[in-house]
């Protein structure tokens, strides 16, 4: 069993249960209660799951949507700061096992930039997670340029996590099994990332960094297509779309325990741009860990995915 650093390990802090429960309507109440118990645990239950998976360190982040769904910007700012302070206290109890991603109130771009800087400099977090759009505003909006300016200067990785789309897709009407994590979230989050690419955000902020889960939300599979259609439609960018995806985006294995998409991501993006993630407690950390232990990979690549890339890109200690 190889030692691993796991991104996308979720938690909830006091006062955030309401945000999360608003998204669980289609989940069996018993299952939701079990998830909530694991989301609010920082002790033996979580640590035992990590140990069974070979996870030496977990990077903890708020389970969505968090304050991304808050309508009151002042409340969002206050509660994001409270969440970050809460997480910092939990990390301080087990600095050998836990690190943190900042939670940010994107309703106020300058305040979000300030909080990101505070979290990185004072709380020693290793990046931030944004749970998709914020009340319909995506991260390519011009109002967010002050945020990206600061994130770029801090060399901060911004992990874009799935959320529900603004309007449910009519194409999925009558097929609830295709909603949310099955298909809907992947399209939503991949589209969010492509808005940054095609919207020129990486031309304006060439050193900005984002991360995507689920091995890139299908983007590595479509690089040629993006380049071909951008040329056809005369999209005005300094580089090909695939260049930005390879240079400004890293991906994680969250919720994808299958060799075919892993091999595609490694081949399309490079072995230094794929990191391990467990998506705990929504996925089995043990299954994710066992998959990485056993999937056939070239010499050294398993270590790259398991921990080396996270050490390099997020400034984490080697496990």
């Amino acid at each position: 069993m190889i030692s691993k650093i796991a991104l996308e390990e979720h938690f909830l802090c006091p006062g955030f249960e309401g945000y999360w429960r608003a998204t669980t309507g289609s989940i069996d109440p018993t299952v939701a209660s079990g998830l909530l118990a694991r989301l609010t645990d920082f002790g033996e239950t979580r640590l035992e799951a990590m140990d069974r998976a070979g996870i030496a360190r977990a990077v903890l982040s708020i389970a969505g949507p968090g304050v991304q769904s808050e309508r009151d910007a002042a409340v969002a700012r206050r509660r994001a700061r409270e969440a970050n302070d809460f997480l910092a206290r939990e990390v301080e109890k087990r600095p050998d096992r836990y690190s943190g991603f900042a939670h940010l109130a994107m309703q106020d771009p300058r305040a979000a930039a300030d909080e990101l800087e505070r979290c990185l400099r004072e709380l020693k977090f290793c990046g931030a997670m944004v749970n998709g759009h914020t009340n319909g505003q995506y991260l390519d909006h011009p109002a967010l340029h002050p945020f990206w300016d600061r994130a770029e200067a801090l060399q901060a990785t911004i992990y874009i996590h799935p959320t529900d789309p603004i309007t449910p897709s009519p194409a999925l009407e009558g097929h609830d099994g295709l909603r949310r994590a099955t298909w809907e979230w992947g399209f939503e989050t991949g589209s969010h990332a492509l808005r940054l690419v095609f919207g020129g955000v990486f031309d304006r902020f060439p050193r900005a960094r984002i991360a995507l889960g689920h091995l890139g939300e299908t983007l590595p599979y479509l690089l040629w297509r993006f380049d071909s259609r951008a040329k056809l439609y005369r999209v005005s960018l300094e580089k090909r779309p695939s260049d930005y995806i390879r240079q400004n985006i890293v991906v994680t294995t969250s919720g994808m325990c299958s060799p075919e998409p892993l091999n595609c991501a490694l081949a399309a993006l490079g072995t230094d741009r794929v990191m391990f993630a467990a998506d705990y407690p929504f996925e089995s950390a043990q299954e994710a860990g066992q998959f990485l232990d056993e999937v056939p990979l070239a010499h050294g690549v398993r270590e790259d995915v398991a921990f080396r890339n996270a050490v390099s890109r997020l400034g984490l200690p080697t496990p």
Side-chain angles (χ1 to χ4, degrees):
M1 182 184 294
I2 191 171
S3 292
K4 306 170 188 73
I5 295 173
L7 282 69
E8 208 173 318
E9 283 236 354
H10 301 288
F11 77 97
L12 284 174
C13 61
F16 274 65
E17 294 91 342
Y19 292 130
W20 180 72
R21 282 198 179 278
T23 71
T24 63
S26 61
I27 300 177
D28 180 274
T30 302
V31 174
S33 294
L35 289 171
L36 181 60
R38 291 192 290 278
L39 285 167
T40 53
D41 168 72
F42 296 86
E44 292 309 308
T45 299
R46 185 183 293 269
L47 291 169
E48 287 175 5
M50 290 168 59
D51 290 341
R52 288 194 299 270
I55 296 171
R57 177 176 297 275
V59 180
L60 304 179
S61 51
I62 282 279
V67 300
Q68 256 70 70
S69 64
E70 176 61 58
R71 293 290 177 179
D72 188 319
V75 171
R77 289 193 299 268
R78 173 176 57 81
R79 302 193 82 178
R81 186 181 180 95
E82 291 172 354
N84 293 327
D85 288 341
F86 173 86
L87 177 57
R89 291 192 294 271
E90 292 298 332
V91 170
E92 189 176 8
K93 294 174 186 176
R94 292 304 305 263
D96 58 324
R97 303 302 301 273
Y98 296 146
S99 295
F101 272 151
H103 189 51
L104 305 174
M106 303 307 296
Q107 295 88 336
D108 185 334
R110 293 189 184 278
D114 290 342
E115 181 65 2
L116 175 65
E117 184 162 3
R118 184 183 80 92
C119 287
L120 268 60
R121 296 194 185 280
E122 297 180 20
L123 305 186
K124 306 304 179 184
F125 289 176
C126 59
M129 179 175 282
V130 176
N131 293 301
H133 63 82
T134 301
N135 297 318
Q137 185 181 79
Y138 291 91
L139 289 171
D140 65 313
H141 195 282
L144 291 169
H145 286 171
F147 171 79
W148 284 115
D149 184 58
R150 190 83 59 86
E152 181 184 51
L154 292 166
Q155 298 183 3
T157 296
I158 309 300
Y159 198 126
I160 304 178
H161 188 268
T163 195
D164 290 337
I166 300 167
T167 303
S169 171
L172 305 184
E173 191 67 37
H175 294 277
D176 290 345
L178 292 174
R179 295 288 184 193
R180 314 196 81 199
T182 306
W183 178 249
E184 192 172 33
W185 282 351
F187 170 76
E188 167 72 17
T189 311
S191 299
H192 195 160
L194 287 174
R195 289 176 67 100
L196 297 172
V197 172
F198 280 72
V201 171
F202 298 126
D203 283 342
R204 189 179 183 95
F205 304 103
R207 292 181 294 112
R209 305 174 177 180
I210 70 168
L212 298 173
H214 315 109
L215 288 171
E217 311 291 5
T218 75
L219 300 194
Y221 190 76
L222 293 164
L223 298 184
W224 183 92
R225 184 76 172 173
F226 296 143
D227 291 347
S228 170
R229 298 307 94 172
K231 184 177 180 180
L232 176 66
Y233 298 130
R234 299 180 181 178
V235 177
S236 180
L237 294 170
E238 294 176 7
K239 304 175 184 177
R240 299 175 302 174
S242 64
D243 294 327
Y244 301 102
I245 294 170
R246 290 189 174 102
Q247 294 166 15
N248 298 92
I249 298 177
V250 295
V251 305
T252 76
T253 64
S254 63
M256 294 289 279
C257 299
S258 178
E260 295 85 359
L262 175 59
N263 288 329
C264 175
L266 290 167
L269 305 180
T271 59
D272 63 334
R273 311 196 72 80
V274 180
M275 298 183 285
F276 178 73
D279 208 359
Y280 178 89
F282 306 110
E283 302 282 354
S284 166
Q286 187 171 1
E287 182 180 9
Q290 184 177 354
F291 166 70
L292 188 60
D293 288 334
E294 297 177 357
V295 63
L297 291 171
H299 178 72
V301 175
R302 196 179 320 276
E303 290 80 5
D304 290 342
V305 176
F307 64 87
R308 283 189 193 132
N309 293 337
V311 167
S312 173
R313 296 189 175 278
L314 300 177
L316 297 170
T318 300

